[in-house]
Amino acid sequence: MGIRCIEIDVHDGIMQEGQLIPFVAHANSFVAVSNKIRLDTVLEVIEKHAFASSEFPVILSLEIHCNKENQRAMSVLFRNILGDKLLTEKVSHTEIELPSPEKLKGKIILKAR
């Protein structure tokens, strides 16, 4: 629908089939706790639909409520699922300013606190 920024609250997950899977739920929401969604499921939907209506960058605003082990699991999921769409390096090695949205087309940017 053209959304360019998505807030995702990530929480400590559980081991499933030998893999630690963090989950997504809105923090401090009683309803959300019973409706938690696996992070990998959320990322697969984002990867599939992020650029359906626009090629301009998508920002994932992360609120991380996870321990270090779950943060490492998050990192693996982001890299494996989003692949080359995930912005992990400078757009240009000579850049001294932030790149324009035009230069970031097709990229997913992570913002975390």
Side-chain angles (χ1 to χ4, degrees), residues 32-51:
V33 172
S34 63
N35 291 323
K36 51 189 168 182
I37 303 170
R38 291 169 49 127
L39 177 61
D40 57 344
T41 301
V42 171
L43 295 178
E44 288 165 359
V45 170
I46 291 170
E47 191 278 331
K48 183 177 180 182
H49 298 286
F51 304 104

Side-chain angles (χ1 to χ4, degrees), residues 84-111:
D84 292 340
K85 292 178 183 174
L86 185 62
L87 184 66
T88 58
E89 298 178 4
K90 289 182 175 185
V91 175
S92 165
H93 295 291
T94 60
E95 72 187 33
I96 55 173
E97 295 179 348
L98 293 174
S100 69
E102 185 71 29
K103 289 183 180 178
L104 294 172
K105 281 185 173 179
K107 291 295 183 182
I108 297 175
I109 303 166
L110 299 182
K111 174 184 103 51

Side-chain angles (χ1 to χ4, degrees), residues 42-103:
V42 171
L43 295 178
E44 288 165 359
V45 170
I46 291 170
E47 191 278 331
K48 183 177 180 182
H49 298 286
F51 304 104
S53 66
S54 172
E55 291 183 58
F56 284 103
V58 171
I59 299 169
L60 301 183
S61 178
L62 305 175
E63 288 195 18
I64 302 171
H65 309 278
C66 297
N67 62 30
K68 296 290 184 192
E69 184 179 13
N70 277 268
Q71 289 177 36
R72 282 189 286 277
M74 284 175 55
S75 175
V76 169
L77 290 173
F78 277 101
R79 287 179 178 273
N80 288 346
I81 295 170
L82 301 178
D84 292 340
K85 292 178 183 174
L86 185 62
L87 184 66
T88 58
E89 298 178 4
K90 289 182 175 185
V91 175
S92 165
H93 295 291
T94 60
E95 72 187 33
I96 55 173
E97 295 179 348
L98 293 174
S100 69
E102 185 71 29
K103 289 183 180 178

